[in-house]
Amino acid sequence: MPLSEFGLIERYFRHCGVTREDVRLGVGDDAALLECPPGQHLVAAMDTLVDGVHFPHGAPPASIGYRALAVNLSDLAAMGARAAWALLALTLPEADEAWLSQFTAGFARLARLHRVALVGGDTTRGPLSVTVQVLGHVSGPAMLRSGGRPGHALFVSGTPGDAAAGLALEQGRWPESQGAQYLRERFLFPTPRMELGERLREYASACIDVSDGLLGDAGKLAAASGCGAQIAYADLPLSEPLVRVAGAERAHELALTGGDDYELCFSVGPGQLESLLAKMPPQRWGYTRIGTLREAPGTEVVRDGVAVKLAHSGYDHFSEPA
Amino acid sequence: MPLSEFGLIERYFRHCGVTREDVRLGVGDDAALLECPPGQHLVAAMDTLVDGVHFPHGAPPASIGYRALAVNLSDLAAMGARAAWALLALTLPEADEAWLSQFTAGFARLARLHRVALVGGDTTRGPLSVTVQVLGHVSGPAMLRSGGRPGHALFVSGTPGDAAAGLALEQGRWPESQGAQYLRERFLFPTPRMELGERLREYASACIDVSDGLLGDAGKLAAASGCGAQIAYADLPLSEPLVRVAGAERAHELALTGGDDYELCFSVGPGQLESLLAKMPPQRWGYTRIGTLREAPGTEVVRDGVAVKLAHSGYDHFSEPA
């Protein structure tokens, strides 16, 4: 027997996420009532995941719930913000309770980790799609995309390309092999770099989250900063499983142009560089220098002293062929 | 030539809505940066409109853009809040510029009226669906659904049922006749009762926005308030066009169970009643007393001294047959 919309909300969403003292009224009325901490900016992001576009049809519901929150948290991480509240708009073909239970478990797992309260939203019937809106706070200046300058060092967190390989494996486009499971997990359950983002506010001149491919997103940071970027092919941080599964050549390409990484790409000016490296050791915090911002516009990847051409520079929902 | 996602956002969304001083950073970075007024609560609502579910396939894009914002503003009105910022997640099968231009014009028309700034969002490719998230503020206590008590008078704004009739006309389920255009407009461009909601905070004990049918939504208000409701059939406010097009019998039924009204249903305690009627005359503010909250649970409609039975009590996305 299908649950009514009201029943669904009651059963699955009322207690999904943590309880927070700054939530005066959460799920269940016409709107949520929230208390903003004085003296901080409110930070707001919203992203949609569509069935068959942002995840393969039939993807594990726990991963869909987790990722719907993760991609938004990652936007907050890129600003150096701390997350507080989320709203969830879930469009479902039918009220499948097993699906919902796993979906909310995935969402709740990440919500608990980052102390996010689910305070409202909407459930509707239609083609499967999830929109999450996340609200958070930043005290002091946020990191923007636009603060980079020529000469600033360019970094990326984690090992980009893993998620794109994981997606290829999930879709059965690549054969199974050792390391495949690791890559799959990187696609299904990416890690929004919340703590790194918050700490980087002290050091980074600009930051962006890498969702559409490192090359494209580094290019957006550079363009917003009024400069270009040079990336050293040899310095790209590649995971062992990625190189094992994809081979070195394809691994580099995926690290540059694969999507869904949800890592942070950031620039650091000369005045902050030494202190960043000392206070937040790259090995411990998991980030790598990949290049430098420069005057000349555009993004260039240099391999053995020569600029390389790449087939495409990142994922764009509307300009790629269907 | 299709626009890229970035181009779409730039062209259509960057300047959609008003410019506000409390927006430190709007569309274009990873997240928006907003300044909450001190001493007020933040109010957050989010609603989705799905093609073929919440509007007929092929509906005018201006209406879709307008309604996507209106249904959210209506949630804020029900809390007595003032709107400030919106985020828009738009999923589109293809980047149709003519469609987008009309859609954003409809959204912007209502955004300007209520001084709402569009500060962020997402465009994705997939089956047509629009999620809008609205943020606003309320100074002092918000109106909740739960403040009503037995004996409190029950009111509704506007003339419910018009939008449901307008939808039937839009879908070609009803023949054209005089008054049809008025009803259509009520469906396509509903009026969120922002000023009424803000002013009612002084008088109302409880409030809900009527989106799923008056009977069902009045029942939700009553249930949240721990009581029941009695509605006088003869007191339902019906518009002339509705009675002309639908006939008196069907007009009453639509006023009770039709959806998409986006009116406010509210209760007022005896201590506030006189002052409400004096300070906010019903004729001028466009609201009508329709009944009373009572001890006995459930919602009853009384006609000529007898409780009437109704086929269904409001729209529910998951429990109605597809």
Side-chain angles (χ1 to χ4, degrees):
Chain A
M1 199 179 68
L3 276 174
S4 72
E5 182 181 353
F6 195 65
L8 284 180
I9 292 170
E10 283 296 309
R11 182 170 306 177
Y12 291 105
F13 299 135
R14 193 181 276 274
H15 303 291
C16 179
V18 301
T19 304
R20 293 177 61 102
E21 300 231 322
D22 54 16
V23 178
R24 277 286 306 270
L25 186 72
V27 173
D29 210 296
D30 287 291
L33 284 177
L34 308 165
E35 276 168 24
C36 290
Q40 300 197 11
H41 280 120
L42 181 70
V43 186
M46 177 154 81
D47 272 308
T48 299
L49 302 185
V50 177
D51 183 25
V53 178
H54 303 92
F55 53 86
H57 187 67
S63 162
I64 300 171
Y66 179 103
R67 289 182 76 238
L69 180 57
V71 302
N72 280 283
L73 290 178
S74 182
D75 282 326
L76 262 59
M79 310 292 288
R82 184 175 293 188
W85 312 304
L87 292 98
L88 166 64
L90 176 59
T91 301
L92 275 179
E94 53 179 359
D96 176 334
E97 289 197 58
W99 192 97
L100 270 168
S101 155
Q102 292 170 55
F103 173 88
T104 48
F107 185 98
R109 176 180 143 197
L110 193 60
R112 279 193 300 268
L113 198 60
H114 298 290
R115 296 208 61 248
V116 175
L118 182 66
V119 298
D122 193 18
T123 55
T124 52
R125 185 155 55 181
L128 177 59
S129 150
V130 193
T131 298
V132 169
Q133 202 269 351
V134 169
L135 296 165
H137 311 292
V138 65
S139 51
M143 289 189 288
L144 308 186
R145 296 180 179 180
S146 52
R149 295 293 171 263
H152 288 197
L154 194 65
F155 295 88
V156 73
S157 67
T159 50
D162 291 351
L167 174 59
L169 288 157
E170 275 290 292
Q171 294 178 314
R173 291 189 277 123
W174 287 8
E176 289 304 309
S177 61
Q178 214 197 337
Q181 193 52 35
Y182 173 85
L183 298 173
R184 277 213 172 84
E185 291 282 319
R186 297 309 299 151
F187 172 76
L188 296 171
F189 301 101
T191 309
R193 304 296 181 185
M194 305 310 290
E195 202 184 344
L196 178 64
E198 258 194 90
R199 291 291 302 274
L200 279 177
R201 280 202 310 114
E202 269 185 69
Y203 308 100
S205 55
C207 188
I208 189 171
D209 92 308
V210 180
S211 55
D212 298 333
L214 175 58
L215 190 57
D217 288 329
K220 284 179 200 161
L221 181 152
S225 296
C227 45
Q230 195 172 57
I231 292 174
Y233 186 92
D235 292 344
L236 290 169
L238 304 177
S239 76
E240 276 185 43
L242 181 64
V243 175
R244 195 180 310 125
V245 169
E249 200 71 19
R250 182 89 183 109
H252 282 86
E253 196 185 322
L254 284 175
L256 285 166
T257 63
D260 300 313
D261 292 312
Y262 304 105
E263 298 294 349
L264 297 181
C265 175
F266 55 97
S267 60
V268 178
Q272 302 296 324
L273 197 52
E274 203 176 323
S275 121
L276 168 74
L277 299 173
K279 300 274 179 55
M280 298 179 66
Q283 303 83 342
R284 194 172 128 224
W285 284 87
Y287 64 91
T288 307
R289 180 163 183 179
I290 55 165
T292 307
L293 297 181
R294 59 173 192 179
E295 294 269 359
T299 313
E300 190 177 71
V301 179
V302 177
R303 182 183 189 178
D304 302 328
V306 181
V308 294
K309 291 216 167 197
L310 285 136
H312 57 107
S313 62
Y315 188 74
D316 184 315
H317 297 298
F318 282 108
S319 65
E320 279 207 326
Chain B
M1 199 179 68
L3 276 174
S4 72
E5 182 180 353
F6 195 65
L8 284 181
I9 292 170
E10 283 294 310
R11 181 169 308 176
Y12 292 106
F13 299 136
R14 192 180 277 275
H15 302 291
C16 180
V18 301
T19 304
R20 293 177 60 101
E21 298 233 324
D22 54 15
V23 178
R24 276 287 305 271
L25 187 71
V27 172
D29 210 297
D30 288 293
L33 285 177
L34 308 165
E35 277 169 22
C36 290
Q40 301 198 9
H41 280 119
L42 181 70
V43 185
M46 178 154 80
D47 272 309
T48 299
L49 302 185
V50 177
D51 184 24
V53 178
H54 302 91
F55 54 85
H57 187 68
S63 162
I64 300 170
Y66 179 103
R67 289 182 75 238
L69 180 57
V71 304
N72 281 283
L73 290 178
S74 183
D75 281 326
L76 262 57
M79 310 292 287
R82 184 175 294 188
W85 312 304
L87 292 97
L88 166 66
L90 176 59
T91 301
L92 275 181
E94 53 178 359
D96 176 334
E97 288 197 59
W99 192 98
L100 271 167
S101 153
Q102 293 170 53
F103 173 88
T104 48
F107 185 99
R109 177 180 141 195
L110 193 60
R112 279 193 301 266
L113 198 60
H114 298 290
R115 295 207 62 245
V116 175
L118 182 67
V119 298
D122 193 19
T123 54
T124 51
R125 187 155 54 180
L128 178 59
S129 149
V130 193
T131 298
V132 169
Q133 203 267 355
V134 169
L135 296 165
H137 313 292
V138 65
S139 50
M143 289 188 289
L144 307 185
R145 296 179 180 179
S146 52
R149 295 294 171 262
H152 287 197
L154 194 64
F155 295 88
V156 74
S157 65
T159 50
D162 291 351
L167 175 59
L169 287 157
E170 275 290 293
Q171 293 179 314
R173 291 189 277 122
W174 287 10
E176 288 305 308
S177 61
Q178 215 198 335
Q181 192 51 35
Y182 172 85
L183 299 172
R184 277 214 172 84
E185 290 283 319
R186 297 309 299 150
F187 172 76
L188 295 172
F189 301 100
T191 310
R193 304 296 182 186
M194 306 309 290
E195 200 183 346
L196 178 65
E198 257 195 272
R199 291 290 302 274
L200 279 177
R201 279 203 310 116
E202 269 185 69
Y203 307 100
S205 54
C207 189
I208 189 171
D209 92 307
V210 181
S211 54
D212 298 334
L214 175 57
L215 191 58
D217 288 329
K220 283 180 199 161
L221 181 152
S225 295
C227 44
Q230 196 173 56
I231 293 175
Y233 185 91
D235 292 344
L236 290 169
L238 305 176
S239 76
E240 276 185 45
L242 181 63
V243 176
R244 194 180 309 126
V245 169
E249 201 68 21
R250 184 87 183 108
H252 281 88
E253 196 185 323
L254 284 174
L256 285 165
T257 63
D260 300 315
D261 292 312
Y262 304 106
E263 297 295 348
L264 298 181
C265 175
F266 55 98
S267 60
V268 178
Q272 302 296 325
L273 196 52
E274 205 175 322
S275 121
L276 168 73
L277 299 174
K279 299 274 179 55
M280 297 178 66
Q283 302 83 342
R284 196 175 125 220
W285 284 86
Y287 65 90
T288 307
R289 180 162 183 179
I290 54 164
T292 308
L293 296 181
R294 59 175 193 180
E295 295 269 358
T299 312
E300 191 177 70
V301 178
V302 177
R303 180 183 189 178
D304 302 328
V306 181
V308 294
K309 291 218 167 194
L310 284 139
H312 58 107
S313 63
Y315 188 75
D316 185 313
H317 297 298
F318 283 109
S319 65
E320 280 206 324

